Structures are given as C-alpha cells and as structure tokens.
Amino acid sequence: MSDDDEETSTEPEELSHKQKLEIAKWFLINSPPGEIQYVAKDVKAVLKDENVYEAAAAEAFPLYNKSHMICLQLPDRSGDVMVTSFSEITEDEYLDPRTAQVAVVNHVKQACTEVRPASDEELPSAYVEEYRCAVDAEISKYVGEAYPKGVCSVYSTKGKHVEEPGSNFELVVVVLASRHSPQNFCNGSWRSIWNVVFEDELQIVELRGRMEVGAHYFEEGNVQLDAKHECKDSTAFQSPDDCAASVMNIIRHHETEYLNSLQTSYLNLPDTTFKDLRRKLPVTRTLFPWHNTMQFSLTRDISKELGIGK
C-alpha cells in the first residue's frame, strides 16, 4: 500500500450514543410476537454498553408490550391483566376491569409486581358498567370457542362516567390469541381491537374493527407475516344483553370472514404470488412447470447448487 493510500484510508466512524439507542430501540420494538426477550439478549450482547441497552429497553418494552397487548397474571392469581393503551392508568399501571384491580407492571421483565384496588375515578359508572359487563360476557364466550388459549377484555373509554341514557359512550373490545413455539421455530399472534360507540341520539351502535396477524417462521430461513385488516359495521342501540349479543355476532362474522380470506389467499400462493415473483420466461428459455410445482424442493436445490454436504 502506498503512503497516499495510507493517508486516505479511514476507520469507520463510531456511532453516537443517540444512534446506538435508536437502532437498539428499533430492533426491540420490531421483534416478532413473543420474541422480544430473545432479541433483547442479542441486542445487549452486540451493544456491549449497559447504559445504552437499559435506556433502549426502558423506552422499547412498554411500546412493544402495549402494541402486542401481552397478557400477564396478577400476583395474587385472581385473574389476568392485558397491557394495552386502553387499560393504561400510568406507564406502569394497568386496569383489569373484570376484577376492578390495577396491576403494577415491570415492562422489561414482562411481569406484574403489585396489585391494588381501582379507584372510583378509574372505573366506569354503574350505567356504563352494565353494558361493559354484558359485552365482556358475550365476547369471553366467543373467544373461548374460537381461539385456543385466547384472551380478551372490554374497556370503558370515552364517556365512561355517563350516569343515565341521553349521552354517548364508548367501549373497546380487545382480543388476543398467541402461539409461541420457539422450539419448533414458529411464533405468532392474532390481535383485534374493536371500538364500539353507543350513540344515544341516533339509537345506534357503531363498530370499527382492526385485525392484525403476525407470524414468524425461522427454521432454515426467516419468513415473517404481517397482515392487517379494517372494517366497519353497526347495530341498533338496545338493552345491555341484546346489544352485547349483537356486538358479539358482528365481531364473530368479520373475524371469521377475514380468517377465511387469509386461508384462501395462502392456499392460492403457488398460482398467484409466487408466479408474480418469477419471470415469465427464465434465462434458460424454458417455461416453469407451474402445473407441478410440488416436484421441487427449495432446500434440496439450493444445497445442490451450493455444494452443501459434499
């Protein structure tokens, strides 16, 4: 190497504290369902800086836990609490409306450390609670039938202190179904959020739903699914029990419809998406035999080309 080359060559610039922090946060927040603890362990090892890691974890874990709506057991085993933006009292306190308790959550450890009774201010009025309980009972029944190990909760948000008919109020239904199987290289979750607005003047109940499906398959590869769907519907404003039954039937209909559409789309992958990813006529000038795609093994062909195992 010449003297000029030695003078012009430079070492890569060291990342600043802020840059390291933002990169670490990105990896933590974007961890696949159920995998943030594994990602955190690797991020910590790569950073080799305890201060940066702790700062990143303190910011990222609460965001991750709320976006994935993780469910934690209460310390006294009296029930579970879902960590969501709708149950949030403070950054570390989350309401469980079924038991009328507030759990103190350690976000990084993903565990409840304490529990206390909820105050009157944190709970809805008796009028709104009657609707909330009725919806919760119906949704719990539906989730128990539709989702293995599924959990759900119903929160009072806007207008929760309305005492009698004449004003609008809103409930939020959240549903979570997770399957974490890292030993089989597969993790995934179903999350749905339903805003249920009770409009007294119009005597109508408006529903806005958002469903999210995330999955990660990482055996001999790294494949992730991130699917989202939104919908709207409505029903008549009736008694608590009648409203609850109607709300549950609407949610069941839309979630079942979306699940069926996902299954159909993946069954058609070889004939649609995979075709779009490949050239019509490869460089070999030979058409790809789409009528018999099952004869090919991607792992076998790649291993052969790379000489793996020789």
Side-chain angles (χ1 to χ4, degrees):
M1 182 182 290
S2 67
D3 292 340
D4 290 340
D5 290 336
E6 289 181 355
E7 290 177 3
T8 56
S9 63
T10 57
E11 293 293 327
E13 288 187 15
E14 177 74 18
L15 292 174
S16 67
H17 176 91
K18 184 177 180 181
Q19 288 174 319
K20 291 180 181 179
L21 179 65
E22 292 302 317
I23 292 171
K25 279 168 52 183
W26 187 92
F27 277 105
L28 292 170
I29 292 171
N30 289 281
S31 302
E35 296 182 33
I36 190 170
Q37 295 292 354
Y38 299 103
V39 174
K41 184 178 179 181
D42 290 340
V43 167
K44 188 175 183 179
V46 170
L47 280 174
K48 297 178 181 177
D49 188 324
E50 194 71 25
N51 293 330
V52 173
Y53 169 75
E54 288 182 358
E59 292 186 42
F61 268 87
L63 296 174
Y64 178 90
N65 292 341
K66 285 186 286 186
S67 67
H68 287 263
M69 304 192 301
I70 67 169
C71 184
L72 304 174
Q73 188 177 65
L74 296 175
D76 57 3
R77 299 182 180 274
S78 60
D80 300 310
V81 62
M82 294 185 72
V83 179
T84 76
S85 58
F86 311 106
S87 60
E88 187 175 22
I89 305 294
T90 66
E91 187 179 31
D92 299 323
E93 292 187 318
Y94 295 85
L95 173 69
D96 173 35
R98 286 198 192 113
T99 62
Q101 297 184 102
V102 174
V104 178
V105 173
N106 182 316
H107 281 286
V108 176
K109 292 183 178 180
Q110 294 185 315
C112 293
T113 57
E114 298 176 39
V115 65
R116 65 168 175 82
S119 67
D120 291 341
E121 185 63 28
E122 292 163 344
L123 297 173
S125 66
Y127 171 68
V128 174
E129 178 64 9
E130 188 176 5
Y131 280 88
R132 194 208 66 77
C133 282
V135 173
D136 186 42
E138 289 289 341
I139 295 299
S140 295
K141 189 188 307 179
Y142 155 63
V143 170
E145 296 170 353
Y147 299 102
K149 298 182 181 179
V151 293
C152 63
S153 195
V154 181
Y155 303 102
S156 304
T157 53
K158 298 175 184 176
K160 70 178 183 179
H161 296 305
V162 170
E163 296 285 354
E164 58 187 19
S167 299
N168 299 343
F169 62 93
E170 181 179 8
L171 303 178
V172 175
V173 176
V174 297
V175 177
L176 170 68
S178 301
R179 182 178 180 183
H180 300 151
S181 186
Q183 69 276 15
N184 293 315
F185 311 101
C186 184
N187 295 300
S189 71
W190 167 287
R191 289 163 280 161
S192 57
I193 299 171
W194 292 87
N195 295 78
V196 186
V197 181
F198 294 77
E199 299 185 21
D200 187 87
E201 185 177 348
L202 299 175
Q203 286 296 289
I204 195 170
V205 180
E206 296 278 358
L207 287 86
R208 300 190 313 276
R210 185 170 76 253
M211 290 156 267
E212 298 182 23
V213 182
H216 184 208
Y217 180 78
F218 48 100
E219 184 175 18
E220 297 185 3
N222 183 15
V223 180
Q224 293 196 49
L225 163 71
D226 184 14
K228 297 180 176 67
H229 177 68
E230 295 185 0
C231 59
K232 293 181 180 180
D233 212 323
S234 63
T235 186
F237 196 146
Q238 309 166 75
S239 68
D241 289 341
D242 290 338
C243 270
S246 296
V247 166
M248 183 274 289
N249 285 328
I250 288 173
I251 291 175
R252 180 195 293 273
H253 167 73
H254 285 285
E255 293 194 350
T256 302
E257 191 176 63
Y258 180 50
L259 182 58
N260 289 339
S261 72
L262 282 176
Q263 291 174 332
T264 300
S265 66
Y266 295 129
L267 286 173
N268 294 332
L269 273 179
D271 297 322
T272 56
T273 308
F274 287 164
K275 275 190 176 181
D276 293 337
L277 291 173
R278 190 178 175 92
R279 294 171 52 165
K280 297 291 183 184
L281 193 64
V283 291
T284 59
R285 313 300 293 174
T286 304
L287 289 173
F288 189 78
W290 292 108
H291 62 283
N292 189 20
T293 58
M294 297 303 292
Q295 65 178 299
F296 295 95
S297 167
L298 183 61
T299 303
R300 184 182 65 241
D301 291 348
I302 291 177
S303 299
K304 181 180 178 182
E305 288 296 323
L306 297 179
I308 298 172
K310 290 184 179 181

